[in-house]
Amino acid sequence: MKPLALVACLLVSITVAHAQEPKEQHKAPVTEIRQSAVAFLEGLSPELRKQAMFTLDDKERRAWSNLPATSFKREGVSFKEMSPEQKSLAHQLLQSTLSSQGYLKTTGIMHLDEILKSLAEKRRPNNTPMFGHDLYWIGIFGDPAKDKSWGWQLDGHHLALNITVVGDEVSVRPAFMGSDPARLPEGTYSGWNVQGAEDEKGKRLFASLDDKQRSKAVIDKVAPRDVITGPTRGDQLKTPTGLPASDLNAGQRRLLMSLIDEYVHNYEHNIAHIQLDRILKSGLDKIHFAWAGTGEGKPYYYRIHGPTVIIEFDNHFPPGRSSGPVNHIHTVFREPGNDYGEDLLKKHLLESPHHQNQP
């Protein structure tokens, strides 16, 4: 066989072999998450451990808010009550589930709250603290040492993570992340922008649309004051509206996927790919991109909505203001039908022999 023919034959063989390779199977790191949760609980005093633990069906599991601590009462164990060693175990729990990107965003939001605390103390030094790193709570739902189905929650101002473990699967939605100010305008951390990628990628996708596409994408000239599916409002959006992904060209689809990736990849690598598979399995063309707010320098909003995903982003005026810089971000990441692992829990009940044998 001639050398060129041999090379061509080898290339074909390699290509065929590669095509026949099994698709990478992503498995959520449930063992690592479980071990981190158990270590966190074991590191608490008996009093704090009792305070941290709830049953999986406790109402507290769905009781989270983006409001400051003085406006919404949290339960669980706050960072204020933890020793340095216990705080370290709490951070290990966060790192077991989040990617480095997601962990830095999460702790960045918590640190941003510390800056808000400093500003509030200068204005009103004698008031009850409403911001700060100490005012974030962790709750464990179910017993990670014994139960196949359990979860954990981090809840505080502008931050709510809801994690549910069911067997060897993990649900990470709903999640709320916000920042105020979105971009720090002055001081030591001037220019710091925790959620800059969510902002810029959304604007880039909208800017890529032509007039015909925008006529479908724009659902309102004025942005809503907040995300629609915020706390206690997970069922507010039923039908996707806006511009279907089927109307996007190849470049715009890449921009849309990059924007979705920004939210998905806040989680550990395998969890992120499992989430992405769930989103895409229902069909990219069924996902819609919507935009609201078209005035220059005015608040703006976007939404990505499909059968298995709702992403909302809102950049508005700071609380109590109706003018000035648009510099206050709220985001939410949800999964219709599987928030709090609802779909996974139903599947577990149907397939578990223990539950099937119950009268």
Side-chain angles (χ1 to χ4, degrees):
M1 185 178 293
K2 294 182 179 180
L4 287 177
L6 178 60
V7 170
C9 183
L10 287 172
L11 286 174
V12 170
S13 299
I14 293 171
T15 302
V16 171
H18 179 71
Q20 292 175 345
E21 287 179 0
K23 186 179 179 181
E24 181 182 359
Q25 295 297 310
H26 294 283
K27 294 183 178 180
V30 293
T31 300
E32 291 82 354
I33 299 172
R34 186 183 302 275
Q35 290 173 344
S36 296
V38 170
F40 170 68
L41 289 173
E42 290 180 345
L44 299 175
S45 66
E47 294 77 17
L48 287 183
R49 191 179 308 127
K50 183 179 180 181
Q51 190 175 313
M53 295 189 73
F54 306 84
T55 60
L56 186 61
D57 60 356
D58 194 287
K59 62 181 178 57
E60 181 64 21
R61 186 160 167 256
R62 296 170 184 261
W64 54 270
S65 175
N66 62 294
L67 296 173
T70 51
S71 301
F72 185 87
K73 185 180 182 300
R74 271 90 175 179
E75 295 185 28
V77 176
S78 70
F79 277 78
K80 183 178 182 179
E81 299 168 283
M82 299 180 200
S83 67
E85 293 77 14
Q86 291 164 346
K87 288 180 181 179
S88 179
L89 292 170
H91 279 274
Q92 287 177 32
L93 177 58
L94 300 183
Q95 291 172 315
S96 71
T97 312
L98 300 171
S99 64
S100 56
Q101 163 187 304
Y103 175 68
L104 287 173
K105 287 181 186 177
T106 297
T107 53
I109 290 168
M110 295 169 75
H111 183 63
L112 183 58
D113 221 51
E114 197 69 20
I115 295 173
L116 285 179
K117 175 185 175 182
S118 177
L119 294 173
E121 287 175 343
K122 289 179 181 178
R123 293 194 301 266
R124 300 175 181 175
N126 298 321
N127 278 20
T128 301
M130 59 189 299
F131 303 113
H133 185 280
D134 283 345
L135 300 180
Y136 289 84
W137 280 256
I138 288 183
I140 306 292
F141 298 87
D143 188 344
K146 301 176 182 178
D147 300 339
K148 288 189 175 181
S149 300
W150 64 280
W152 66 264
Q153 179 190 79
L154 173 68
D155 184 23
H157 180 226
H158 275 161
L159 184 62
L161 303 179
N162 294 284
I163 312 302
T164 307
V165 177
V166 183
D168 60 357
E169 298 185 82
V170 177
S171 168
V172 295
R173 298 184 260 174
F176 187 103
M177 288 186 175
S179 48
D180 173 31
R183 183 189 296 273
L184 285 172
E186 57 187 4
T188 303
Y189 300 100
S190 180
W192 190 22
N193 192 352
V194 178
Q195 295 178 285
E198 291 91 333
D199 192 359
E200 293 303 319
K201 287 184 178 182
K203 289 189 291 188
R204 196 176 304 146
L205 175 56
F206 182 65
S208 76
L209 305 180
D210 60 32
D211 290 342
K212 183 178 179 181
Q213 290 172 319
R214 288 195 181 196
S215 67
K216 292 184 180 180
V218 175
I219 56 175
D220 201 319
K221 292 182 179 180
V222 179
R225 181 71 215 194
D226 201 352
V227 293
I228 308 301
T229 62
T232 72
R233 304 194 304 271
D235 60 351
Q236 292 298 297
L237 294 173
K238 304 294 186 184
T239 305
T241 57
L243 178 70
S246 56
D247 286 0
L248 300 175
N249 61 38
Q252 291 167 334
R253 285 190 174 215
R254 286 193 292 271
L255 292 175
L256 174 63
M257 286 307 306
S258 179
L259 182 54
I260 294 173
D261 281 344
E262 191 60 39
Y263 291 85
V264 169
H265 285 281
N266 284 332
Y267 300 92
E268 182 272 341
H269 173 80
N270 289 285
I271 294 175
H273 282 276
I274 292 168
Q275 293 293 307
L276 192 59
D277 286 346
R278 289 180 68 87
I279 291 170
L280 296 181
K281 189 176 181 180
S282 63
L284 180 62
D285 288 347
K286 295 180 182 178
I287 294 174
H288 288 62
F289 176 72
W291 184 274
T294 56
E296 186 68 28
K298 299 294 184 180
Y300 50 94
Y301 163 97
Y302 68 73
R303 179 164 74 231
I304 296 167
H305 190 180
T308 53
V309 64
I310 293 176
I311 292 171
E312 291 187 86
F313 172 101
D314 184 74
N315 196 354
H316 223 285
F317 300 119
R321 301 182 186 178
S322 57
S323 62
V326 176
N327 203 26
H328 184 172
I329 288 174
H330 284 180
T331 69
V332 71
F333 180 41
R334 287 185 172 272
E335 181 173 4
N338 196 36
D339 272 350
Y340 308 99
E342 290 172 349
D343 188 49
L344 298 180
L345 289 168
K346 289 176 184 175
K347 179 182 176 184
H348 173 69
L349 288 172
L350 289 172
E351 297 179 352
S352 170
H354 169 72
H355 292 291
Q356 289 176 351
N357 293 333
Q358 288 184 346

